[in-house]
Amino acid sequence: MLDEAIAGLPEILKRDMEENLCVCNQVPKIKVIEAIVLGADTREKVCAQTYASDGNGCCKLQIKHLLDHFNAQRKPE
Ligand code: FES
């Protein structure tokens, strides 16, 4: 399920999966994606589950890009 989700990402969002997306709280991108795929559909939920963006918020935009991608896929056509 996670592999499938990653495979569907645009190339630019596939980079640096094991690197910290949230440097402030040392949360790898893969952990953020996992939380989103498992149902966190807002930044607040991602933050509550992973602590990503719970620092000074400098990674909010990156989380938003991932949420926009996966939330667009969740919506029925
Ligand atoms: S990098 Fe995530 S809050 Fe700063």
Side-chain angles (χ1 to χ4, degrees):
M1 183 171 166
L2 194 54
D3 287 344
E4 258 178 54
I6 291 168
L9 281 170
E11 286 304 316
I12 195 160
L13 296 180
K14 286 183 185 173
R15 294 187 293 192
D16 304 325
M17 280 295 156
E18 304 298 329
E19 301 293 319
N20 287 335
L21 181 150
C22 181
V23 177
C24 294
N25 290 325
Q26 299 185 329
V27 184
K29 185 185 222 177
I30 191 78
K31 289 291 175 196
V32 172
I33 290 175
E34 186 176 39
I36 295 171
V37 169
L38 293 177
D41 57 0
T42 64
R43 187 189 61 78
E44 289 75 15
K45 291 179 188 172
V46 171
C47 179
Q49 291 180 28
T50 67
Y51 298 105
S53 80
D54 197 28
N56 64 13
C58 40
C59 59
K60 282 181 184 172
L61 190 58
Q62 289 183 74
I63 295 174
K64 182 185 181 310
H65 288 318
L66 291 170
L67 281 167
D68 286 350
H69 171 80
F70 287 114
N71 286 341
Q73 290 184 339
R74 281 192 240 271
K75 296 203 171 96
E77 295 188 17

